[in-house]
Amino acid sequence: MNEANPMGVSSDSTASFEQERTVTITLSECVTIQAGYPFRGAIRDIPSGSVRAVQAKDISPLGELQTNDLILTDLTGKRDADWLQQGDILFSAKGSKHLACYVNEALDRTTCAPSLFLLRVKHEWKEKVNPQFLTWQLNQLPTQTYFKRSAEGSFQISIRKPVLAATPIALPTLCKQNIIAKLYEASIKENALLHKLINNRQQQLNAIATDLLNNSNQ
């Protein structure tokens, strides 16, 4: 590979990032992909633990990372953990839905379960790729269809690392990526608010129904 061109792309391709053209790459070209920390067995809840661990259940159906109830535990393996950084992407490799979520804040001594892949934009791509945009694209229908075609297993469906690495990614200009990323962030907040309103209304209706039933028995 040309040392002066560490991404292995032609000068024409590099120039296209600055124009309106969209280029297609594979996911592994622009990010590193690392499996979560290899905990031995189930992750134990240790209130006095020294680390926190993100599990698949901490990713909402909307693809939002929920950090309020992260499990406290201790590392059980020999190697050091890959601590999550702001700007990382977590990908749920197992289950019926393969969601990506964006780490939008700094998290102290926090790692992730082995059922998740940790994606981190490579240094040489940081000025050309918005990780929140990548998160959005991984959760969209074309990519989700690709995952469904490539998934393995009947009971515990999973996406292997080579499949994730080969995921096709369409990269528009960074300016356009930033616009889409902001729209995506706003849509998550709007959907979360809508779900909260729906749940609150349902709780109110449940309370009314319970009150009516109790009063009818008096």
Side-chain angles (χ1 to χ4, degrees), residues 7-191:
M7 291 179 288
V9 296
S10 67
S11 58
D12 289 340
S13 296
T14 303
S16 70
F17 280 102
E18 308 303 328
Q19 301 169 4
E20 288 302 316
R21 181 183 169 195
T22 297
V23 297
T24 301
I25 62 172
T26 59
L27 183 63
S28 61
E29 288 184 63
C30 63
V31 304
T32 59
I33 303 174
Q34 176 69 45
Y37 186 80
F39 288 94
R40 295 175 184 172
I43 301 176
R44 294 174 54 212
D45 184 2
I46 304 174
S48 60
S50 59
V51 305
R52 296 192 300 172
V54 176
Q55 303 174 82
K57 69 179 182 63
D58 299 311
I59 301 175
S60 78
L62 301 172
E64 183 181 23
L65 179 59
Q66 300 173 324
T67 60
N68 291 335
D69 296 314
L70 295 182
I71 191 171
L72 269 172
T73 189
D74 285 322
L75 302 181
T76 56
K78 293 183 178 180
R79 75 171 176 86
D80 292 334
D82 293 304
W83 304 120
L84 300 187
Q85 302 175 10
Q86 184 176 7
D88 284 345
I89 302 168
L90 296 177
F91 179 81
S92 181
K94 296 181 179 180
S96 60
K97 197 167 185 180
H98 305 290
L99 282 175
C101 77
Y102 177 68
V103 180
N104 64 356
E105 60 181 316
L107 301 172
D108 183 47
R109 289 183 62 80
T110 302
T111 187
C112 63
S115 62
L116 301 174
F117 282 117
L118 169 60
L119 282 54
R120 185 169 291 163
V121 175
K122 295 177 180 179
H123 177 75
E124 61 267 28
W125 284 84
K126 285 187 179 294
E127 300 301 320
K128 296 179 173 65
V129 172
N130 182 322
Q132 199 169 19
F133 165 82
L134 281 184
T135 306
W136 167 80
Q137 189 163 160
L138 289 172
N139 289 336
Q140 299 311 299
L141 181 60
T143 309
Q144 288 293 310
T145 300
Y146 163 78
F147 291 144
K148 287 180 180 178
R149 289 200 308 264
S150 308
E152 296 183 351
S154 54
F155 177 71
Q156 181 75 341
I157 302 173
S158 63
I159 299 295
R160 295 184 301 111
K161 183 177 178 179
V163 170
L164 182 60
T167 303
I169 297 295
L171 278 184
T173 62
L174 185 59
C175 178
K176 189 173 293 185
Q177 291 179 49
N178 293 340
I179 292 172
I180 294 173
K182 287 185 180 298
L183 290 172
Y184 176 56
E185 183 178 7
S187 73
I188 289 179
K189 292 179 179 178
E190 290 165 357
N191 274 281

